[in-house]
Amino acid sequence: MRNPRREYEISFKLVTFPHAKNFFIKGTSGGKRILESTGITNRRLAEEYRTKREAEFWQEKLYGTRAVITFADAATAYMKDAPCSAATGRYVDRLVKYFGETKLSSINNASLRGTYAKILKAEESASPSTKKQAIRTLLLAILEFGAIQG
């Protein structure tokens, strides 16, 4: 019989390994073992990272994976799944610079208002409406991909 309390247990600690300079997070989340590099050598900063990741795992447990996936995560997965042209890659890079660590669940019409103007400044080769349509199509494709992937 499954222990219902174990599903919501999240406990991480910082560990080091002789072969690595960085701190690692080791522990369990809902019965699954976690071992993840912090990419940080400073203990205080690594502890802050551990706290942040623990909070993200809690959010995921409470609200589901969709609540914690960032635009950058979705865009990276999208590009790996469907290789694109160089021009599309440039637009994805600009979208990632703009949205980056924004959670997919927080992207809405209000957050899109300034997107096109900021992203389109750098490129002059096509008409503004063509570029805006390309960005809109790509943005929707990444958001839909993220939703389908959960």
Side-chain angles (χ1 to χ4, degrees):
M1 182 172 250
R2 231 173 131 168
N3 183 351
R5 287 180 82 197
R6 191 171 180 203
E7 271 186 57
Y8 290 97
E9 282 182 19
I10 296 177
S11 64
F12 296 146
K13 63 181 178 179
L14 287 179
V15 296
T16 57
F17 294 102
H19 66 279
K21 295 178 184 177
N22 296 334
F23 284 93
F24 287 77
I25 295 172
K26 183 177 180 181
T28 58
S29 172
K32 289 192 306 186
R33 292 182 184 183
I34 306 292
L35 180 62
E36 179 180 304
S37 173
T38 63
I40 301 170
T41 57
N42 180 299
R43 179 174 272 290
R44 185 182 58 78
L45 294 175
E47 184 61 36
E48 288 178 20
Y49 181 86
R50 183 201 62 80
T51 305
K52 176 184 171 231
R53 289 295 290 147
E54 206 168 70
E56 287 173 353
F57 273 90
W58 267 112
Q59 277 190 326
E60 185 176 332
K61 283 286 176 209
L62 295 174
Y63 305 113
T65 306
R66 193 171 174 193
V68 296
I69 296 296
T70 65
F71 184 83
D73 295 333
T76 302
Y78 176 81
M79 292 298 285
K80 284 181 183 175
D81 189 64
C84 305
S85 69
T88 301
R90 284 193 308 270
Y91 283 132
V92 170
D93 288 343
R94 289 184 189 148
L95 285 167
V96 168
K97 282 180 187 173
Y98 186 80
F99 287 111
E101 297 301 312
T102 304
K103 293 183 178 32
L104 287 183
S105 58
S106 3
I107 297 175
N108 55 29
N109 281 336
S111 62
L112 296 178
R113 287 197 182 108
T115 306
Y116 303 117
K118 289 185 181 181
I119 291 174
L120 295 176
K121 277 183 185 177
E123 194 164 314
E124 301 296 329
S125 61
S127 72
S129 61
T130 302
K131 292 185 285 186
K132 187 174 180 177
Q133 184 60 40
I135 290 173
R136 180 182 296 140
T137 302
L138 185 57
L139 179 62
L140 291 174
I142 292 169
L143 292 172
E144 183 177 344
F145 180 82
I148 289 169
Q149 298 300 315

